Amino acid sequence: MNTTAIIIAVIVLAGVIAITKMLIGRNLQAQALDNGKTVKGIVLPLRLQAYERMALYLERIEPTQLVMRVHANGLSVPQEQNLLLTAIRSEFEHNLSQQIYISNEVWNDICNAKDDIIDIVNAVAEQIEDPMDGQSFAEALLIAAAQKPVVNKAMASLKADVQRLF
């Protein structure tokens, strides 16, 4: 075998190796892209569902909605206060796992809204002179909540985060 034939064979072999590497690299890139699309196809609906659930949570703990859902005639202030706080906390616990799908900023805003509403409920309950007057408590709570719409900031943060997804 002459030297020229060996050089040509080495060049051809190097070319075959280079082309094979390039084809394998493209195939791996295509697979990675497909895997990314699959992950996005699974995760995006879960994230949207989490945002929907947290929007519903915020609506449900908004004091006007909360009082309308929980209030019953004949309850004392401590009874109504307990029902309201239990509803807020149980709704929160039910949606606790959604935090893995939403941003930390939004989650913090939701937690702050929950805490602020709990503070409002407790502060209003302390101000009612007649502990047997649950009706006055409910009315005072609605007035206090109207003066401090704490759910609005968390809801705005949640909506802005969803818009960033698209």
Side-chain angles (χ1 to χ4, degrees):
M1 222 177 178
N2 68 24
T3 314
T4 307
I6 293 174
I7 292 174
I8 291 173
V10 169
I11 291 172
V12 169
L13 182 60
V16 168
I17 291 171
I19 291 171
T20 303
K21 281 184 175 182
M22 182 181 71
L23 291 174
I24 290 172
R26 284 187 182 168
N27 192 19
L28 290 174
Q29 286 176 341
Q31 285 177 348
L33 184 61
D34 286 345
N35 289 342
K37 287 180 183 177
T38 301
V39 168
K40 282 185 180 180
I42 292 170
V43 173
L44 184 60
L46 291 173
R47 287 190 74 188
L48 288 174
Q49 182 182 32
Y51 283 102
E52 289 170 357
R53 286 182 62 177
M54 296 319 299
L56 180 61
Y57 169 72
L58 289 171
E59 289 295 327
R60 289 180 62 84
I61 67 166
E62 194 279 320
T64 304
Q65 297 297 322
L66 188 62
V67 169
M68 288 175 57
R69 200 173 63 255
V70 173
H71 175 73
N73 289 329
L75 292 176
S76 68
V77 173
Q79 289 171 326
E80 184 138 359
Q81 178 186 15
N82 186 46
L83 286 174
L84 293 169
L85 296 177
T86 299
I88 293 167
R89 290 178 180 133
S90 67
E91 291 267 348
F92 183 77
E93 290 170 6
H94 178 72
N95 290 295
L96 196 57
S97 65
Q98 301 310 308
Q99 69 181 298
I100 64 173
Y101 296 109
I102 61 178
S103 72
N104 288 336
E105 177 187 338
V106 172
W107 181 252
N108 289 336
D109 289 343
I110 291 168
C111 291
N112 290 338
K114 173 192 64 88
D115 294 342
D116 288 347
I117 292 169
I118 289 171
D119 291 345
I120 291 169
V121 169
N122 290 332
V124 171
E126 289 176 9
Q127 294 171 359
I128 302 299
E129 292 178 16
D130 182 2
M132 298 311 292
D133 192 2
Q135 182 65 36
S136 292
F137 170 62
E139 291 169 5
L141 181 57
L142 294 176
I143 292 168
Q147 294 171 353
K148 189 177 180 186
V150 297
V151 167
N152 293 354
K153 179 182 184 250
M155 189 65 82
S157 176
L158 188 114
K159 287 178 182 179
D161 216 34
V162 168
Q163 289 173 354
R164 281 191 285 269
L165 289 175
F166 300 102

